Amino acid sequence: MTSNPLSPLAKNDAAKGPSSPSRHWRTALIQSQPQVPENFRSLVPAVHRGSTVTFNTVAEAVDDWHVETSGYTYGVYGTPNTLEFAKRISEIEGARHTFLVPGGQAAIALIYFSFCKAGSHVLAPKNIYGPSGELADDLLAGLNIEVEYYDPMIGSGISSLIRPNTSLIWCETPGSVTFEIPDIPAIVFAARERGVLVALDNTYAAGVLFDAFGHGVDISMQALTKYVGGASDLLMGTVSVKSEQSYERVGSVHRLLGLAISPEDCALAHRGLQTLGVRLAHFERSAITVAKWLKARQEISLVLHPAFEDCPGHEIWKRDFTGSTGVFSIVFAEDWDAERVAKFVEALQTFKIGMSWGGVHSLVMVYSTMTRHGHGHRLIRLNVGLEEAEDLVHDLEQALKCAATVTA
């Protein structure tokens, strides 16, 4: 079928286009290079969308993830957005380099796959982040990588658990849900004597309240989904390394796994980073106010907050941390059954039932199926957001009154 020779489209085809005698207008739509004024200076980094990178010469067209030395080669290896934001995290944490990944769990997996192989032995704390433990017990076990769990308060005693094939020691400070503060320097010293690397989940401290590399850690990861993102609308993680050898190992695996990050997510994370300081300060003040109020209530038998003297590792927290954040747990009195705990949680109005933490909204989560903490259904975790502390206390108070109507 031929086109109508009298149609406007056919006429433009024959004339090569209305604006350029040298090339077709369809080509101009794609290859146009308009000239605009240079040196636009903004407080906000530009968003660079793109996967394909073009080269001036054949020699430059290499498939190499070392963007710092090779230049841009492909979007998955780095764009101006990902590289700038990664350098900002590296600067804050004092790292050699930071790799961006699509979430905290991806960061954990990247570390495992970078430093472990079939036959490796790994030490991880018993209070480890739940999905990290599931990764170890399911996927890694099937790959013949053994993960052994240790008491998070073991300190230098961890040396007795290190084997000839131990390739990695995981730490969390504080521990997920139960908030124990381990002696990281003691664990690092024992690991270094045996040539074992130490990786730390530094999400609670947002990379700023605990100096991971200053305390000897080799690899630091964060779930930026939490405090750096700050608005519960972002999924991102980081893996930061100190040594050149770790940079090479993580970088090569990062490339093979194709762990790309969108420029829009980088822009959101950058925005969150700028307000992190003021948000953390507010979270700390409000959380301590709320936690003190709960500690005085007869319905609560235990408040698990690192800033409180009866929290395991409190003295270590005072020594190693520069502050606390907005997340902590409480344990109800022994006469509280599962039904009453559920009634309390469901009666909350300002605190929303939701996974994760670190955002502007206050959240609550139950851990009735988790057995490792020893408190059964009586433990819940609270995330204090940016609401006023007096409103949060009022919400907790009315929920306690509502739960009191449940008969044993």
Side-chain angles (χ1 to χ4, degrees):
M1 181 177 179
T2 60
S3 61
N4 182 355
L6 299 180
S7 72
L9 183 60
K11 292 178 180 178
N12 280 339
D13 280 347
K16 294 292 186 182
S19 61
S20 173
S22 61
R23 60 179 180 173
H24 198 283
W25 63 268
R26 291 196 186 94
T27 301
L29 291 176
I30 300 170
Q31 295 285 351
S32 179
Q33 296 179 340
Q35 299 297 314
V36 297
E38 297 181 354
N39 301 319
F40 175 72
R41 300 175 65 181
S42 172
L43 294 173
V44 181
V47 174
H48 296 266
R49 298 183 184 89
S51 57
T52 299
V53 175
T54 60
F55 306 93
N56 292 322
T57 67
V58 172
E60 293 176 351
V62 293
D63 187 18
D64 191 343
W65 64 269
H66 297 82
V67 181
E68 290 180 340
T69 55
S70 300
Y72 295 106
T73 60
Y74 191 56
V76 73
Y77 304 150
T79 66
N81 290 105
T82 58
L83 293 180
E84 178 182 351
F85 184 71
K87 286 183 179 295
R88 288 178 180 270
I89 297 296
S90 292
E91 180 182 33
I92 291 168
E93 293 205 51
R96 158 65 178 87
H97 188 82
T98 294
F99 297 91
L100 305 183
V101 295
Q105 184 72 348
I108 293 168
L110 176 59
I111 293 171
Y112 269 122
F113 291 136
S114 297
F115 299 100
C116 301
K117 60 183 179 181
S120 290
H121 171 253
V122 179
L123 290 168
K126 292 179 180 177
N127 60 358
I128 198 168
Y129 172 58
S132 180
E134 293 173 14
L135 172 66
D137 297 339
D138 296 339
L139 180 58
L140 298 182
L143 298 175
N144 194 28
I145 298 172
E146 180 187 357
V147 178
E148 178 183 357
Y149 298 101
Y150 65 87
D151 181 347
M153 307 306 292
I154 196 172
S156 60
I158 201 167
S159 60
S160 65
L161 302 179
I162 297 176
R163 306 177 191 172
N165 63 330
T166 302
S167 59
L168 190 66
I169 297 176
W170 266 106
C171 297
E172 284 191 24
T173 186
S176 293
V177 184
T178 44
F179 296 93
E180 301 93 337
I181 303 291
D183 192 338
I184 299 296
I187 292 174
V188 165
F189 183 81
R192 190 153 293 165
E193 284 192 321
R194 303 287 290 275
V196 179
L197 297 175
V198 176
L200 173 71
D201 185 336
N202 203 19
T203 302
Y204 172 91
V208 295
L209 300 180
F210 179 80
D211 184 355
F213 295 114
H215 287 91
V217 169
D218 299 290
I219 308 106
S220 172
M221 58 88 25
Q222 291 189 62
L224 300 192
T225 305
K226 309 297 196 290
Y227 282 123
V228 172
S232 304
D233 60 357
L234 172 69
L235 292 169
M236 189 185 295
T238 57
V239 174
S240 298
V241 296
K242 189 68 173 178
S243 72
E244 193 69 23
Q245 183 180 16
S246 293
Y247 165 69
E248 292 292 336
R249 292 181 67 173
V250 175
S252 61
V253 176
H254 184 269
R255 167 187 174 271
L256 293 173
L257 294 178
L259 297 173
I261 295 296
S262 78
E264 285 84 1
D265 283 348
C266 286
L268 289 174
H270 175 263
R271 175 183 294 183
L273 199 63
Q274 294 178 96
T275 61
L276 179 61
V278 292
R279 286 186 288 112
L280 286 177
H282 184 101
F283 291 144
E284 181 175 40
R285 289 192 302 268
S286 292
I288 289 178
T289 297
V290 172
K292 285 182 177 179
W293 183 86
L294 286 165
K295 196 172 182 63
R297 299 287 302 199
Q298 63 179 6
E299 301 96 333
I300 309 301
S301 67
L302 189 61
V303 174
L304 301 171
H305 190 301
F308 286 15
E309 291 184 358
D310 56 353
C311 188
H314 168 72
E315 291 301 319
I316 298 172
W317 173 80
K318 286 175 45 177
R319 182 193 72 189
D320 295 346
F321 280 72
T322 58
S324 60
T325 63
V327 60
F328 64 94
S329 292
I330 60 175
V331 179
F332 288 97
E334 293 187 2
D335 62 343
W336 276 60
D337 58 19
E339 182 182 1
R340 179 169 293 181
V341 172
K343 181 72 172 180
F344 166 81
V345 171
E346 292 170 359
L348 290 167
Q349 298 174 7
T350 306
F351 284 90
K352 307 300 183 184
I353 304 174
M355 300 288 184
S356 198
W357 40 271
V360 300
H361 298 85
S362 290
L363 301 172
V364 59
M365 183 49 60
V366 297
Y367 290 92
S368 57
T369 60
M370 182 183 291
T371 58
R372 57 179 167 81
H373 57 67
H375 301 294
H377 62 269
R378 296 186 295 124
L379 183 145
I380 67 169
R381 187 180 68 190
L382 298 172
N383 172 73
V384 171
L386 293 184
E387 303 91 349
E388 288 299 308
E390 61 184 75
D391 291 328
L392 298 176
V393 167
H394 175 74
D395 190 35
L396 292 165
E397 185 174 28
Q398 65 84 21
L400 287 172
K401 291 178 180 179
C402 185
T405 61
V406 178
T407 57

